[in-house]
């Protein structure tokens, strides 16, 4: 039997950052993760960090590599009607975003946990949670062929959208809100110098496309596709041809092409769990909510959740009062719904919808015209894209 103060299921950004923030508050935690260390440190996912996430990682002492290798962007481009229009975040809201891959954040956090003597059980299987509706929460799992049990005061369910924590809550105790989009993203990583220093979001008659980057020599590109798209139908030549078509401009813009070394299809969905707590189980990150990636909010919401949770747990262990833990869900959900709205709006603005007679596309072009010509409209985009302040009014935790 292992004993700790907080048992964490999942070593994604939410679980690792929570464990790290708790240790800075002098609170012990243990993480149970189903995958190997190598797997989570190589898993290609998000790459856009809001200013608040960057500040949080820096304040927590895990920002050294991010400061050296992250690419700071002061704006993005919206491309439609074969023309580019820059949204200048710096000028509009005085903030920026940082492009730094999620798996690099994960590497930094794993390193920080082990350096501080933290405990992570990788490759755990048959993970289950118990007793969280009373005062004796436990996490059971098998590790290296042995059955283990972790006794803790609280469980943090940081095990992503397909984890076991949310489904372990009795039926009817939580409410779920969901929207599934009729398209997905075909994403690639390519050894090709990004053709622009900033991200380009393209609305094209054939569908959405996004040009992003991982490093100055590696492009990250996405194409709107069917949610069940068969990658076998997409040889590299077809991917490049379609990308070039969607990014073309009147001035003859061309993406730099190079060997593709990673390909995948992501379905798109909005999902929210209410409340994000049941008894002594607290859900955080993708375990509680997911957003379509168009607004680049998933990783950032996970960071915002665990910031609030770590503070509420610190208050509980320091004063004995669970008053802040009781407000955890309400505080997080306010930001979550703001991010849901923004992600839905960006998705609706940029993607081609099935059975569009042409009306929706024209409506999108009119809205893009407004966003790129009205300072008020551009400011709303910039404010949301770079991220809401970590403390919204009335959330003094
Ligand atoms: C392809 C893709 C692209 C994305 N792009 C962006 C982007 O550009 N910007 C953005 O902000 N967000 C993006 N996201 C979303 C972002 O990656 C997620 O929001 C983020 O990973 C959430 O972190 P998390 O720690 O909550 O969950 P996860 O990263 O999913 O971590 C959950 C962890 O729990 C583990 N786990 C699962 N089940 C169990 C179990 N039973 N027992 C123990 N451990 C378990 C998993 O192995 C995993 O390590 C993207 C996601 C995907 C899939």
């Amino acid at each position: 039997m292992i004993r700790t103060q907080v048992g964490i299921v999942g070593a994604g950004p939410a679980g690792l950052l929570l464990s790290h923030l708790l240790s800075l508050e002098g609170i012990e935690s243990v993480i149970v993760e189903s995958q190997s260390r190598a797997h989570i440190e190589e898993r290609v996912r998000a790459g856009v960090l809001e200013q608040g996430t960057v500040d949080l990682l820096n304040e927590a002492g895990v920002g050294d590599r991010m400061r050296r290798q992250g690419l700071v962007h002061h704006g993005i481009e919206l491309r439609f009607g074969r023309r580019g229009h820059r949204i200048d975040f710096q000028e509009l809201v005085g903030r920026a975003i940082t492009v730094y891959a999620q798996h690099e954040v994960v590497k930094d956090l794993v390193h920080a946990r082990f350096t501080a003597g933290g405990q992570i059980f990788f490759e755990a299987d048959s993970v289950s949670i118990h007793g969280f509706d009373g005062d004796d929460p436990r996490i059971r799992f098998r590790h290296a062929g042995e059955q283990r049990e972790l006794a803790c005061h609280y469980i943090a369910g940081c095990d992503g959208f397909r984890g076991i924590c949310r489904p372990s809550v009795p039926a009817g105790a939580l409410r779920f809100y969901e929207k599934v989009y009729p398209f997905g993203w075909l994403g690639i990583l390519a050894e090709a110098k990004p053709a622009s220093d900033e991200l380009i979001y393209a609305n094209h008659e054939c569908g959405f496309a996004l040009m992003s980057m991982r490093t100055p020599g590696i492009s990250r590109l996405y194409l709107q596709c069917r949610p069940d798209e068969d990658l076998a139908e997409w040889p590299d030549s077809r991917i490049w041809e379609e990308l070039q078509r969607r990014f073309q401009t009147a001035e003859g813009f061309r993406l730099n092409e190079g060997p593709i070394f990673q390909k995948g299809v992501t379905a798109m969905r909005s999902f929210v769990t209410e409340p994000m707590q049941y008894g002594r189980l607290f859900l955080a990150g993708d375990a509680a909510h997911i957003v379509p990636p168009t607004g680049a909010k998933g990783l950032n919401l996970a960071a915002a959740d665990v910031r609030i949770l770590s503070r509420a747990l610190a208050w509980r262990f320091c004063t004995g009062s669970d008053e802040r833990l009781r407000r955890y869900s309400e505080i997080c959900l306010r930001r979550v719904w703001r991010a849901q709205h923004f992600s839905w709006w960006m998705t609706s603005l940029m993607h081609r919808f099935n059975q569009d007679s042409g009306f929706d596309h024209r409506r999108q072009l009119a809205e893009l015209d407004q966003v790129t010509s009205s300072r008020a409209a551009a400011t709303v985009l910039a404010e949301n894209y770079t991220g809401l302040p970590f403390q919204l009014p009335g959330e003094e935790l």
Side-chain angles (χ1 to χ4, degrees):
M1 163 89 74
I2 314 151
R3 288 190 184 279
T4 192
Q5 288 173 287
V6 181
I8 300 175
V9 186
L16 289 163
L17 183 56
L18 176 64
S19 182
H20 180 69
L21 294 174
L22 288 174
S23 80
L24 296 179
E25 301 274 4
I27 298 166
E28 279 178 18
S29 65
V30 172
I31 304 180
V32 178
E33 162 63 49
S34 56
Q35 300 288 345
S36 68
R37 177 175 179 178
H39 180 91
I40 65 158
E41 291 190 343
E42 281 157 25
R43 193 164 45 193
V44 174
R45 285 193 167 176
V48 174
L49 305 183
E50 293 175 354
Q51 183 84 58
T53 306
V54 168
D55 294 344
L56 179 64
L57 295 173
N58 279 328
E59 282 160 23
V62 285
D64 282 4
R65 264 188 349 119
M66 174 184 69
R67 280 196 302 281
R68 275 185 274 120
Q69 297 176 17
L71 308 169
V72 178
H73 288 190
H74 298 284
I76 55 168
E77 182 184 317
L78 297 180
R79 189 170 286 188
F80 55 96
R82 289 166 186 65
R83 296 203 109 74
H85 307 259
R86 184 162 188 265
I87 304 290
D88 188 334
F89 297 153
Q90 192 62 37
E91 205 255 325
L92 290 163
V93 292
R95 299 216 302 244
I97 50 151
T98 297
V99 174
Y100 185 64
Q102 176 170 324
H103 64 275
E104 302 296 347
V105 175
V106 163
K107 273 186 213 161
D108 296 340
L109 288 166
V110 171
H111 176 73
R113 289 313 300 124
F114 283 137
T115 306
Q119 199 171 13
I120 307 174
F121 287 94
F122 285 110
E123 298 180 69
D125 64 34
S126 310
V127 181
S128 58
I129 57 172
H130 309 268
F132 49 90
D133 49 352
D135 55 7
D136 187 24
R138 287 173 189 239
I139 303 175
R140 295 196 188 120
F141 57 100
R142 285 188 69 75
H143 185 257
E146 260 184 67
Q147 185 64 37
R148 312 295 293 256
E149 185 162 281
L150 177 68
C152 47
H153 297 274
Y154 294 95
I155 297 176
C158 300
D159 50 349
F161 184 60
R162 301 194 186 284
I164 51 97
C165 289
R166 192 182 63 247
S168 301
V169 174
L174 303 177
R175 183 150 185 205
F176 308 114
Y177 298 88
E178 184 170 33
K179 183 172 183 65
V180 178
Y181 297 85
F183 39 73
W185 280 12
L186 192 166
I188 62 161
L189 280 168
E191 282 169 32
K193 185 177 174 329
S196 157
D197 291 338
E198 293 179 340
L199 274 68
I200 305 174
Y201 284 77
N203 176 315
H204 188 272
E205 306 84 272
C206 298
F208 169 73
L210 171 61
M211 197 223 72
S212 177
M213 61 288 293
R214 279 295 179 261
T215 67
I218 296 184
S219 295
R220 177 78 166 137
L221 294 142
Y222 298 95
L223 280 173
Q224 178 184 349
C225 63
R226 294 193 312 261
D228 56 350
E229 195 75 52
D230 180 3
L231 277 176
E233 291 174 15
W234 286 87
D236 295 2
S237 57
R238 182 176 171 208
I239 293 177
W240 285 117
E241 195 183 318
E242 191 59 30
L243 283 167
Q244 297 290 10
R245 186 191 338 275
R246 296 191 195 182
F247 285 107
Q248 67 186 227
T249 61
E251 295 81 36
F253 173 92
R254 296 283 298 168
L255 293 165
N256 298 314
E257 298 186 14
I260 296 175
F261 60 93
Q262 207 266 350
K263 271 186 215 179
V265 172
T266 313
M268 310 236 318
R269 177 195 304 263
S270 304
F271 179 86
V272 181
T273 306
E274 287 194 6
M276 290 165 55
Q277 178 209 352
Y278 179 79
R280 289 183 174 231
L281 168 68
F282 291 83
L283 301 173
D286 278 18
H289 42 71
I290 51 174
V291 282
T294 331
K297 290 282 165 264
L299 169 58
N300 296 296
L301 281 178
D305 288 351
V306 298
R307 176 183 166 276
I308 301 285
L309 185 55
S310 64
R311 288 179 176 214
L313 284 166
W315 184 256
R316 162 68 185 79
F317 284 115
C318 178
T319 66
S321 159
D322 65 359
E323 183 251 331
R324 294 187 176 187
L325 279 173
R326 279 190 268 114
R327 290 178 57 211
Y328 166 73
S329 179
E330 169 207 330
I331 290 179
C332 291
L333 283 168
R334 183 166 170 217
R335 173 185 303 276
V336 167
W337 278 111
R338 296 271 299 261
Q340 288 291 358
H341 170 252
F342 177 67
S343 304
W344 165 86
W345 176 76
M346 281 282 281
T347 302
S348 315
L349 181 65
M350 301 306 295
H351 290 74
R352 175 101 189 156
F353 282 78
N354 296 341
Q355 287 145 8
D356 175 17
S357 62
F359 179 90
D360 282 331
H361 188 57
R362 297 249 172 246
R363 176 190 51 75
Q364 289 173 336
L365 295 179
E367 191 163 6
L368 283 162
D369 184 18
Q370 185 192 31
V371 170
T372 53
S373 59
S374 148
R375 187 179 174 89
T379 303
V380 172
L381 191 159
E383 193 175 83
N384 283 283
Y385 197 95
T386 56
L388 300 173
F390 256 174
Q391 192 160 297
L392 295 174
E395 289 172 3
E396 290 71 32
L397 260 198

